[in-house]
């Protein structure tokens, strides 16, 4: 059921088009969804909920069945986040610094939940993907920018997934070229069956596969007291380089919170046909996913810390392959095999999720049919984009002489540069009353998210600076962090003071209270009925500054990567 506010039910302007039903998607009239396949029964890996089922689950058995049918998006996006890049980053933290950086994972939990909760809220309320909402609400530049930079960053990320697959296969004695090709075909086949339920069931198998990390943890003879202490007491490894540790912490943040997650989860929730009445179940799904991702990350940091403690390799991290060999040497051959299998498993689910986030975004922006419910013959562009980016990434990995190290650096830096902008638009969209209605953010959510964005921007500047100037020292990094924090506080205080003065003078009227009583039935009206938001001067200046920063940072990073490539040639 879609309730259209009276203020939104107006005639489209002469320049607008009925975008919700354009492009031949066959979306239902009066619905904001862009593909008719996004409406219907919820067909999850562990159950089905009929679209005409309006009953309210009351018994715990009924609620459990409902949760099992809904569960999936949060699990997949979180486990997909513990991918090949994450394996490398967490292994480096454990092998080089022990368990001293475990506390960073606990700090990331609220950030993960707030970001992804806003994303799933956008998905269930609007029925429209992230890239399309940016295009419609902020114009062609930002819409094109979000789609193009996502495509480039995702392609680089998928390359790192196949690097992880090749490392795992190499440890297991499987030849690289046929192994990578087979893995790519498996990923493509899993998503191309024309059945959403079959794809999600495949992903659930991979989710359970990620638990292979747990037995390695127990096999490494962990010190539970030390783990508990380092989880809750922040600290920096004694005698370590401040610059190296800071950059590793930034890498942990970057590998745990990535732009593709925003695009994937919003589109996947829509494709699963989840509506606002199931929001609490989807939040539970997200929390389960967060727990699994933290457990997996903590396990990697911990078993590498205890396996290499007191050994010559401690502090000498090379790559995930070196970790597998070290586990075999100091923990046992089974530990090495389990680590390699878990790495392959994580890389496959990561490649699938990142690839789908690209296909979903392109389908949204270009008006293509884009749903896993559709067969390949019925959504050729969607599946072609997915297969193309998977195969291209796999081929690059198996080409002799490919600069895989530079590509990995490029992923980390570009993700750091682009993440703040992705979070900015997420915040703006969740405050857009025409889009979210009674689901708009509250004041506490906005304050917390604004603080997160400020931190991400500061970390992004540090990461970009470290790439451009590899010799940067700890003092300079601390100065950037301190200066950025001070500037963020001054800007925040300035905005608060200006708003308070304007309100005292009557220049700003009190915002009307948001009526949240219709949350479970309210859906965003068709895009053609929405007027573009009128951005304030402060927001226009902010978006302009963001655009300038992104362009300058990306150009400088690309120049630096090219210089490194030419120097290595």
């Amino acid at each position: 059921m879609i309730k259209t506010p009276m203020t939104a039910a107006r005639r489209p302007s002469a320049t607008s088009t009925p975008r919700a039903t354009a492009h031949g998607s066959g979306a239902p009239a009066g619905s904001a969804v862009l593909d008719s396949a996004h409406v219907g029964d919820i067909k999850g890996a562990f159950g089905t909920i009929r679209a005409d089922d309006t009953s309210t689950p009351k018994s715990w058995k009924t609620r459990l069945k409902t949760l099992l049918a809904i569960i999936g998006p949060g699990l997949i996006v979180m486990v997909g986040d513990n991918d090949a890049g994450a394996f490398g980053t967490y292994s480096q933290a454990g092998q080089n610094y022990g368990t001293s950086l475990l506390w960073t994972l606990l700090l990331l939990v609220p950030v993960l939940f707030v970001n992804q909760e806003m994303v799933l809220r956008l998905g269930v309320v609007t029925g429209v993907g992230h890239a399309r909402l940016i295009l419609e609400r902020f114009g062609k530049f930002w819409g094109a920018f979000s789609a193009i930079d996502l495509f480039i960053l995702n392609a680089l990320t998928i390359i790192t997934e196949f690097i992880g697959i090749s490392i795992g296969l190499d440890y297991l004695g499987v030849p690289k070229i046929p192994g990578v090709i087979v893995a790519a075909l498996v990923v493509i086949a899993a998503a191309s069956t024309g059945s959403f339920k079959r794809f999600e069931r495949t992903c659930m198998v991979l989710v359970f596969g990620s638990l292979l990390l747990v037995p390695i943890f127990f096999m490494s003879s962990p010190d539970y007291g030390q783990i508990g202490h380092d989880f809750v007491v922040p600290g920096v490894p004694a005698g370590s380089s401040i610059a190296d540790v800071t950059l590793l912490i930034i890498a942990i943040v970057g590998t745990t919170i990535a732009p593709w997650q925003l695009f994937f989860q919003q589109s996947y929730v829509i494709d699963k046909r989840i509506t606002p009445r199931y929001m609490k179940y989807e939040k539970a799904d997200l929390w389960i996913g967060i727990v699994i991702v933290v457990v997996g990350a903590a396990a990697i940091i911990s078993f590498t810390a205890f396996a290499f403690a007191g050994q010559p390799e401690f502090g000498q991290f090379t790559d995930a392959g070196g970790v597998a060999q070290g586990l075999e040497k100091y923990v046992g051959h089974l530990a090495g095999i389990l680590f390699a299998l878990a790495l392959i498993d994580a890389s496959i689910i990561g490649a699938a999720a990142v690839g789908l986030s690209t296909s979903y975004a392109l389908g949204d922006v270009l008006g293509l049919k884009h749903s896993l419910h559709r067969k390949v013959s019925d959504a050729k562009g969607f599946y072609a984009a997915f297969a193309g980016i998977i195969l291209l990434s796999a081929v690059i990995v198996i080409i002799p002489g490919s600069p895989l190290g530079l590509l990995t650096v490029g992923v980390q830096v570009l993700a750091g540069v682009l993440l703040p902008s992705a979070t900015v638009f997420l915040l703006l969209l969740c405050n857009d009353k025409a889009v979210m209605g009674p689901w708009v953010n509250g004041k506490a959510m906005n304050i917390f998210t604004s603080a997160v964005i400020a931190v991400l921007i500061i970390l992004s500047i540090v990461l970009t600076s470290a790439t451009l100037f590899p010799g940067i020292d700890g003092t300079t990094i601390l100065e950037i962090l301190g200066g950025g924090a001070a500037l963020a506080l001054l800007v925040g205080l300035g905005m608060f003071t200006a708003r308070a003065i304007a309100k005292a003078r009557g220049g700003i009227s009190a915002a009307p209270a948001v009526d949240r009583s219709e949350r479970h039935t309210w859906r965003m009206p068709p895009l053609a009925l929405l007027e573009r938001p009128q951005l304030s001067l402060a927001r226009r200046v902010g978006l302009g500054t963001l655009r300038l920063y992104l362009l300058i940072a990306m150009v400088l990073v690309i120049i630096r990567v090219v210089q490194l490539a030419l120097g290595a040639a």
Side-chain angles (χ1 to χ4, degrees), residues 142 177 250 261 271 288 313 320 323 340 391 393:
W142 287 113
I177 293 178
I250 294 174
Q261 294 172 254
D271 204 6
I288 295 171
E313 294 90 344
V323 172
L391 289 175
S393 303

Side-chain angles (χ1 to χ4, degrees), residues 99-112:
T99 57
S100 59
L101 296 180
L102 278 173
W103 57 271
T104 58
L105 301 177
L106 205 58
L107 289 181
L108 287 173
V109 169
V111 179
L112 274 174

Side-chain angles (χ1 to χ4, degrees), residues 369-384:
K369 295 177 180 179
H370 51 296
S371 173
L372 291 171
H373 291 284
R374 294 186 179 277
K375 297 185 181 299
V376 174
S377 59
D378 194 32
K380 297 183 182 69
F382 172 71
Y383 289 108

Side-chain angles (χ1 to χ4, degrees), residues 326-484:
L327 288 173
E328 176 183 353
K329 184 177 179 181
Y330 299 116
V331 180
H333 186 52
L334 178 60
I337 292 175
L338 291 176
F339 182 80
L341 291 174
L343 174 59
I344 295 170
D345 177 275
S347 301
I348 289 176
I349 193 171
V354 177
L356 278 175
S357 76
T358 309
S359 292
Y360 279 133
L362 292 177
D364 268 327
V365 173
L366 300 178
L368 304 172
K369 295 177 180 179
H370 51 296
S371 173
L372 291 171
H373 291 284
R374 294 186 179 277
K375 297 185 181 299
V376 174
S377 59
D378 194 32
K380 297 183 182 69
F382 172 71
Y383 289 108
F386 178 77
I389 196 169
I390 295 294
L391 289 175
L392 175 64
S393 303
V395 168
I396 289 175
V397 170
I398 62 178
I399 292 176
S402 294
L404 301 181
L406 291 178
L407 292 174
T408 302
V409 171
V411 170
Q412 294 175 338
V413 179
L414 283 177
V417 169
L418 297 173
L419 182 57
S421 67
T423 311
V424 164
F425 284 111
L426 177 60
L427 180 61
L428 292 176
L429 287 170
C430 283
N431 281 280
D432 191 334
K433 291 183 179 179
V435 169
M436 297 298 288
W439 290 94
V440 292
N441 277 2
K443 183 178 292 184
M445 178 76 80
N446 285 332
I447 292 174
F448 180 81
T449 309
S450 297
V452 169
I453 290 172
V455 171
L456 291 177
I457 290 174
I458 295 169
L459 296 182
S460 172
I461 292 172
V462 172
L463 186 59
T464 305
S465 301
T467 302
L468 299 176
F469 310 103
I472 192 171
D473 57 21
T475 302
T476 304
I477 288 177
L478 292 177
E479 288 174 350
I480 295 174
L481 292 173

Side-chain angles (χ1 to χ4, degrees), residues 473-515:
D473 57 21
T475 302
T476 304
I477 288 177
L478 292 177
E479 288 174 350
I480 295 174
L481 292 173
L487 181 60
L489 285 174
L490 288 174
V491 170
L493 288 173
M495 293 176 65
F496 176 80
T497 303
R499 186 175 180 83
I501 293 173
K503 186 177 291 187
R505 293 177 177 176
I508 298 179
S509 57
V514 177
D515 181 8

Side-chain angles (χ1 to χ4, degrees), residues 105-179:
L105 301 177
L106 205 58
L107 289 181
L108 287 173
V109 169
V111 179
L112 274 174
F113 178 76
V114 168
N115 265 16
Q116 297 307 125
E117 187 275 339
M118 286 195 291
V119 167
L120 69 88
R121 191 158 23 105
L122 270 175
V124 300
V125 172
T126 67
V128 177
H130 204 67
R132 184 57 175 268
L133 284 178
I134 292 174
L135 172 67
E136 295 288 345
R137 305 306 285 166
F138 301 102
K140 293 181 179 179
F141 173 83
W142 287 113
F145 182 87
S146 66
I148 293 170
D149 69 51
L150 182 73
F151 183 87
I152 295 172
L153 180 57
N154 282 2
L156 293 174
T157 303
I158 296 171
I159 289 172
T160 66
E161 309 296 5
F162 283 107
I163 293 174
I165 290 171
S166 67
I167 290 174
L169 293 175
D170 181 64
Y171 176 81
L172 296 174
V174 179
K176 176 179 177 179
I177 293 178

